[in-house]
Amino acid sequence: RLSMGTGTNGWAHRSDQTALGLEGLSDLLCQSYDLGVNFWDTADQYGSHEHVARALESVPRDRVVIATKTTSRTRAQATQDVERFLRELSTDVIDVVLLHFMTQANWPRTHAGAMEALSRAKEQGKVRVVGVSCHGLRPLQAAAETDWAEVVLARINPAGVNMDASPAQVVPILERMYASGKAVWGMKVLGCGQLAGKARAAMRYVFELGVLHSIVIGTSRRQDLLE
């Protein structure tokens, strides 16, 4: 239900979490596991693969779900990414691989090659499920209409902070996804920290919608993780 994020302010192969260093972030991930968090979110653009791999030295691989993301568009690039991700994460299979940061409604066309590569990796047993991370109302709508996307990472919080549109516009799309059998995964639940003072209410809101399977929250301190 709760996913440990490693990509706060994450891009260009760094994030607030990776700034903790290899041991700092891997220790925090292990602490999250000890507290019952068995779903870890990473991405090539966060630069956190090696931190997850280090944490997996202390946590049984089959007891934690690993998600990562690729920015590749072509079949060749995405194929290479999967092989590299497997090496960097030191695992034989990645549970979830998403197309990262879709901002245009036509992403199923512009990323068709990458989609083919991820589907092939799934057939080969290297990836378990595939999907998309959406940043925009139109790409989110496209995700709801695209059978290929088994998992959708969507921005949702009660205040509409750093979201694709207002909750009134986004929630019906999430409801449609949920009803169609997609896994709906919420991000920006605390509005990039702006709702941190109302964390309990924000989390209650998204879960009481009844259409999210999990939410991801990135923390950089044990105190925040405990909270």
Side-chain angles (χ1 to χ4, degrees), residues 196-210:
K198 303 176 181 178
R200 186 180 297 274
M203 294 173 72
R204 181 183 300 116
Y205 166 81
V206 295
F207 280 130
E208 288 184 350
L209 292 173

Side-chain angles (χ1 to χ4, degrees), residues 62-127:
D62 62 353
R63 299 297 299 276
V64 64
V65 175
I66 304 296
T68 190
K69 313 174 191 74
T70 174
T71 57
S72 292
R73 291 189 175 205
T74 70
R75 181 168 184 164
Q77 290 171 335
T79 298
Q80 292 173 0
D81 275 356
V82 170
E83 296 301 327
R84 176 167 59 85
F85 294 175
L86 289 167
R87 292 193 302 270
E88 292 175 349
L89 291 164
S90 296
T91 185
D92 294 328
V93 60
I94 305 171
D95 300 293
V96 183
V97 179
L98 305 182
L99 299 178
H100 200 176
F101 201 79
M102 296 300 99
T103 60
Q104 302 297 321
N106 65 347
W107 65 262
R109 179 173 59 82
T110 60
H111 289 69
M115 292 163 67
E116 291 177 12
L118 294 185
S119 293
R120 178 59 176 161
K122 181 182 171 184
E123 292 171 0
Q124 295 171 332
K126 298 176 180 180
V127 173

Side-chain angles (χ1 to χ4, degrees), residues 145-222:
E145 299 163 0
T146 303
D147 292 340
W148 177 87
E150 300 169 289
V151 180
V152 180
L153 182 55
R155 301 192 284 188
I156 181 68
N157 61 65
V161 178
N162 286 305
M163 279 181 53
D164 303 320
S166 69
Q169 292 172 285
V170 170
V171 170
I173 301 174
L174 303 185
E175 291 175 338
R176 193 157 77 248
M177 290 178 180
Y178 185 90
S180 70
K182 295 183 185 297
V184 185
W185 185 16
M187 61 175 164
K188 304 295 188 287
V189 172
L190 303 185
C192 295
Q194 294 187 45
L195 304 179
K198 303 176 181 178
R200 186 180 297 274
M203 294 173 72
R204 181 183 300 116
Y205 166 81
V206 295
F207 280 130
E208 288 184 350
L209 292 173
V211 296
L212 278 90
H213 296 92
S214 181
I215 62 173
V216 56
I217 296 178
T219 63
S220 300
R221 302 186 306 163
R222 177 176 172 82

Side-chain angles (χ1 to χ4, degrees), residues 14-27:
R14 70 157 307 280
S15 70
D16 290 358
Q17 282 74 34
T18 59
L20 298 172
L22 184 60
E23 298 301 331
L25 179 51
S26 62
D27 285 349

